Amino acid sequence: MSVFLRRSCGAALAYAVITQGAFAEVTAKDVWSDWQSYMSSMGYTVSGDESVSGDVTTISNLTMTMDIPENDGKFDMVVPEMKLTENGDGTVSINFPDSFPMTISGDAEGEAFSVDVLYTHSQLEMLVSGSPEDMTYDYSADSLGISLDKIEVDGEAMPDDALVVKVSMNDFAGKSRMLIGENRDVDQSFTAADLTYDLMFDEPDSDEKARINGKLEKLAFEGENIIPAGFNFADIQSAYEAGFSFSGVFDYAAGMTNIAGTSEGEDFSMASSSEGGRFAASIDAERLAYDVEQNSSKLEVTTAELPFPIEIAMAKAGFKFEFPIKASEEIQPFGFAMNLTDFTMSDVLWSMFDPAGELPRDPATISLDTSGTAKVMVNILDPEVAESLESSDEMPGELHSLKVNELLVSLVGAKLTGDGDFTFDNSNTESIDDLPVPAGVANLQLVGANALIDKLIGMGLMSDNDAMGARMMMGMMAVPGEEPDTLNSTIEFTEDGQILANGQRIK
């Protein structure tokens, strides 16, 4: 369904990204002609009945269709009427009906299906300016919405309450620009007061049901997209090789989600909230990057199995990475980082394993920041390559170096910090279970470990023998630091396969 969703949403909002901007003039014919050219280049078949009356060009029964070969399916969108009005100042206004349908049909697992989706808007205004080679679309709307209208499987309609999907965006405004040359260069941005979503399913043949609703506030997006000539959804690898790329940043100021339902005869609920976050992504033929973060997150879960709610919170959570994705003989850089900052949970949860409050309940933090180099041996985005990797033991690449810029684990009164720098010999994969032999140094410091062990013994969570073994291991791997209950360790991996702890060979 992800393929269907991507394509249907792309067609429904296509008018919001067909752009170009300059200081000349455009006509209704220019806009309609470019619309047809752009959608055709994306793999759609576009048709419509064109009529002209004065400054107004009307396209009736505007239809966009696309075959979906993966499921022997088809996507159809029909706009009953689109009007393009020349304003006399070199700009064109576009008007759409308040609602129009989209249909996705096909075959999945031997069953024919059809999904009808309704697109709606309130007070949508769109103005096109520029020149035929450089158009800018300025648009705004009181609201934009998409809702599920009907689902049929093998000709039989599903009950209306079996699946409900409603998504809307309010106080929407944006600008899109497209430069048309050898490629289409798209720059776009938008803001919205909020985005709300409401999803519900009730499985007819069981007691499984759930409802999910939520809201994001103060949305903002900025992005750039290069679309090469002849772009084809069905051959995405060739599109990237031809120059397709995307980069964008999505921000929001606050968010919340509520989930309630029944599973296996038992009720459950969940509520989450945050004070904003961001999602940044970029991709081209060479690299893929993500950067996701969320601020002041809270989560509360209630289940029939527990007589109290599970409550957790984090001041900040996020992850980011940047990886090469194209096969190359060159060694290329990569990076990965994650953090869970100031994690806390309710006293009720603590009391399950620490009723006497022996352990420190300070906020916990886990943070990791790494970078390195690697050689990519396959085209990661090639669907055939991805399928072959799932059924084989072939490695998609070689790790050549890894640098741990920061390691931090702080919880229950103990804190582990460290860094490291390693290289890897890919010509020697026989010494360590088909892995390349590392060479380098890791520097670690552990604070509060002995105090934590004492508390775990007192709580009955660790035996004296286990504690003795742990302390012996720490004695072998680390040396006392200058501060009380502090252990320092320098672990060295040599090129000939030795491992040294603070200068003492342990392998």
Side-chain angles (χ1 to χ4, degrees), residues 278-301:
R278 69 190 298 270
F279 174 79
S282 65
I283 187 171
D284 57 30
E286 306 287 338
R287 306 187 71 77
L288 171 65
Y290 281 89
D291 187 353
V292 182
E293 66 179 40
Q294 194 172 54
N295 303 316
S296 299
S297 305
K298 296 180 180 179
L299 175 66
E300 179 178 319
V301 180

CSV table of all heavy atoms in Angstrom, one decimal, residues 278-301:
chain,number,residue,atom,x,y,z
A,278,ARG,N,11.7,17.8,14.5
A,278,ARG,CA,12.1,18.1,13.1
A,278,ARG,C,12.4,16.7,12.4
A,278,ARG,O,12.8,15.8,13.0
A,278,ARG,CB,13.3,19.0,12.9
A,278,ARG,CG,14.6,18.5,13.4
A,278,ARG,CD,15.7,19.5,13.5
A,278,ARG,NE,16.0,20.1,12.2
A,278,ARG,CZ,16.9,19.7,11.4
A,278,ARG,NH1,17.6,18.6,11.7
A,278,ARG,NH2,17.2,20.3,10.3
A,279,PHE,N,12.2,16.7,11.1
A,279,PHE,CA,12.6,15.6,10.3
A,279,PHE,C,13.3,16.1,9.0
A,279,PHE,O,12.6,16.8,8.2
A,279,PHE,CB,11.4,14.8,9.9
A,279,PHE,CG,11.6,13.6,9.0
A,279,PHE,CD1,12.2,12.5,9.4
A,279,PHE,CD2,11.3,13.8,7.6
A,279,PHE,CE1,12.5,11.4,8.5
A,279,PHE,CE2,11.6,12.7,6.7
A,279,PHE,CZ,12.2,11.6,7.2
A,280,ALA,N,14.5,15.8,8.9
A,280,ALA,CA,15.3,16.2,7.7
A,280,ALA,C,15.7,15.0,6.9
A,280,ALA,O,16.1,14.0,7.5
A,280,ALA,CB,16.5,17.1,8.1
A,281,ALA,N,15.7,15.1,5.6
A,281,ALA,CA,16.1,13.9,4.8
A,281,ALA,C,16.6,14.4,3.5
A,281,ALA,O,16.2,15.5,3.0
A,281,ALA,CB,14.9,13.0,4.5
A,282,SER,N,17.6,13.7,2.9
A,282,SER,CA,18.1,14.0,1.6
A,282,SER,C,18.5,12.7,0.9
A,282,SER,O,19.0,11.7,1.6
A,282,SER,CB,19.3,14.9,1.7
A,282,SER,OG,20.4,14.4,2.3
A,283,ILE,N,18.4,12.6,-0.4
A,283,ILE,CA,18.7,11.4,-1.1
A,283,ILE,C,19.1,11.8,-2.5
A,283,ILE,O,18.5,12.7,-3.1
A,283,ILE,CB,17.6,10.4,-1.1
A,283,ILE,CG1,18.0,9.1,-1.7
A,283,ILE,CG2,16.3,10.9,-1.7
A,283,ILE,CD1,17.1,7.9,-1.5
A,284,ASP,N,20.1,11.1,-3.1
A,284,ASP,CA,20.4,11.2,-4.5
A,284,ASP,C,21.0,9.9,-4.9
A,284,ASP,O,21.0,8.9,-4.1
A,284,ASP,CB,21.3,12.4,-4.8
A,284,ASP,CG,22.6,12.4,-4.0
A,284,ASP,OD1,23.1,11.3,-3.7
A,284,ASP,OD2,23.1,13.5,-3.7
A,285,ALA,N,21.6,9.8,-6.0
A,285,ALA,CA,22.2,8.5,-6.5
A,285,ALA,C,23.4,8.1,-5.6
A,285,ALA,O,23.7,6.9,-5.6
A,285,ALA,CB,22.7,8.7,-7.9
A,286,GLU,N,24.0,9.0,-4.9
A,286,GLU,CA,25.2,8.7,-4.1
A,286,GLU,C,25.0,8.4,-2.7
A,286,GLU,O,25.6,7.5,-2.1
A,286,GLU,CB,26.2,9.8,-4.3
A,286,GLU,CG,26.6,10.2,-5.7
A,286,GLU,CD,27.4,9.2,-6.4
A,286,GLU,OE1,28.1,8.4,-5.7
A,286,GLU,OE2,27.4,9.2,-7.6
A,287,ARG,N,24.1,9.2,-2.0
A,287,ARG,CA,24.0,9.1,-0.6
A,287,ARG,C,22.5,9.2,-0.1
A,287,ARG,O,21.7,9.8,-0.8
A,287,ARG,CB,24.8,10.3,0.1
A,287,ARG,CG,26.2,10.3,-0.4
A,287,ARG,CD,27.1,11.3,0.3
A,287,ARG,NE,27.3,10.9,1.7
A,287,ARG,CZ,28.2,10.0,2.1
A,287,ARG,NH1,28.9,9.4,1.2
A,287,ARG,NH2,28.4,9.7,3.3
A,288,LEU,N,22.3,8.7,1.1
A,288,LEU,CA,21.0,8.8,1.8
A,288,LEU,C,21.3,9.3,3.2
A,288,LEU,O,22.2,8.8,3.9
A,288,LEU,CB,20.4,7.4,1.9
A,288,LEU,CG,19.1,7.3,2.8
A,288,LEU,CD1,18.0,8.2,2.2
A,288,LEU,CD2,18.7,5.9,2.9
A,289,ALA,N,20.5,10.3,3.7
A,289,ALA,CA,20.7,10.9,5.0
A,289,ALA,C,19.4,11.2,5.6
A,289,ALA,O,18.4,11.7,5.0
A,289,ALA,CB,21.5,12.2,4.9
A,290,TYR,N,19.3,11.0,7.0
A,290,TYR,CA,18.2,11.3,7.8
A,290,TYR,C,18.6,12.0,9.1
A,290,TYR,O,19.7,11.7,9.6
A,290,TYR,CB,17.4,10.1,8.2
A,290,TYR,CG,16.5,9.5,7.1
A,290,TYR,CD1,16.9,8.6,6.2
A,290,TYR,CD2,15.1,9.9,7.0
A,290,TYR,CE1,16.1,8.0,5.2
A,290,TYR,CE2,14.3,9.4,6.1
A,290,TYR,CZ,14.8,8.5,5.2
A,290,TYR,OH,14.0,8.0,4.2
A,291,ASP,N,17.8,12.9,9.6
A,291,ASP,CA,18.1,13.6,10.8
A,291,ASP,C,16.8,13.8,11.5
A,291,ASP,O,16.0,14.7,11.1
A,291,ASP,CB,18.9,14.9,10.6
A,291,ASP,CG,19.3,15.5,11.9
A,291,ASP,OD1,19.0,15.0,13.0
A,291,ASP,OD2,20.1,16.5,11.9
A,292,VAL,N,16.4,13.1,12.5
A,292,VAL,CA,15.1,13.1,13.2
A,292,VAL,C,15.3,13.4,14.7
A,292,VAL,O,16.2,12.8,15.3
A,292,VAL,CB,14.4,11.8,13.0
A,292,VAL,CG1,13.0,11.9,13.7
A,292,VAL,CG2,14.3,11.4,11.6
A,293,GLU,N,14.5,14.3,15.2
A,293,GLU,CA,14.6,14.6,16.6
A,293,GLU,C,13.2,15.0,17.1
A,293,GLU,O,12.4,15.5,16.4
A,293,GLU,CB,15.6,15.7,16.9
A,293,GLU,CG,15.3,17.1,16.4
A,293,GLU,CD,16.3,18.1,16.8
A,293,GLU,OE1,17.5,17.8,16.7
A,293,GLU,OE2,16.0,19.2,17.1
A,294,GLN,N,13.0,14.8,18.4
A,294,GLN,CA,11.7,15.1,19.1
A,294,GLN,C,12.1,15.7,20.5
A,294,GLN,O,12.9,15.2,21.2
A,294,GLN,CB,10.8,13.9,19.2
A,294,GLN,CG,9.4,14.2,19.5
A,294,GLN,CD,8.5,13.0,19.4
A,294,GLN,OE1,8.8,12.0,20.0
A,294,GLN,NE2,7.4,13.1,18.7
A,295,ASN,N,11.3,16.7,20.9
A,295,ASN,CA,11.6,17.4,22.1
A,295,ASN,C,10.5,17.1,23.2
A,295,ASN,O,9.3,17.2,22.8
A,295,ASN,CB,11.7,18.9,21.9
A,295,ASN,CG,12.8,19.2,20.9
A,295,ASN,OD1,13.9,18.6,20.9
A,295,ASN,ND2,12.5,20.1,20.0
A,296,SER,N,10.9,17.0,24.4
A,296,SER,CA,10.0,16.8,25.6
A,296,SER,C,8.9,15.9,25.3
A,296,SER,O,7.7,16.2,25.3
A,296,SER,CB,9.4,18.2,25.9
A,296,SER,OG,10.4,19.1,26.3
A,297,SER,N,9.2,14.6,25.0
A,297,SER,CA,8.3,13.6,24.7
A,297,SER,C,7.7,12.9,25.9
A,297,SER,O,8.5,12.7,26.9
A,297,SER,CB,8.9,12.5,23.8
A,297,SER,OG,9.5,13.1,22.7
A,298,LYS,N,6.4,12.6,25.9
A,298,LYS,CA,5.8,11.9,27.0
A,298,LYS,C,4.9,10.8,26.5
A,298,LYS,O,4.3,11.0,25.4
A,298,LYS,CB,4.9,12.9,27.9
A,298,LYS,CG,5.7,14.0,28.6
A,298,LYS,CD,4.8,14.9,29.4
A,298,LYS,CE,5.6,16.0,30.1
A,298,LYS,NZ,4.7,16.9,30.9
A,299,LEU,N,4.9,9.7,27.2
A,299,LEU,CA,4.1,8.5,26.7
A,299,LEU,C,3.4,7.9,27.9
A,299,LEU,O,4.1,7.7,29.0
A,299,LEU,CB,5.0,7.5,26.0
A,299,LEU,CG,4.4,6.2,25.6
A,299,LEU,CD1,3.3,6.5,24.5
A,299,LEU,CD2,5.4,5.2,25.1
A,300,GLU,N,2.2,7.6,27.8
A,300,GLU,CA,1.4,6.9,28.8
A,300,GLU,C,0.6,5.8,28.2
A,300,GLU,O,-0.1,6.0,27.2
A,300,GLU,CB,0.4,7.8,29.5
A,300,GLU,CG,-0.4,7.2,30.6
A,300,GLU,CD,-1.3,8.1,31.3
A,300,GLU,OE1,-0.9,9.3,31.6
A,300,GLU,OE2,-2.5,7.8,31.6
A,301,VAL,N,0.8,4.5,28.7
A,301,VAL,CA,0.2,3.3,28.1
A,301,VAL,C,-0.6,2.6,29.2
A,301,VAL,O,-0.1,2.4,30.3
A,301,VAL,CB,1.3,2.4,27.6
A,301,VAL,CG1,0.6,1.1,27.0
A,301,VAL,CG2,2.1,3.1,26.5
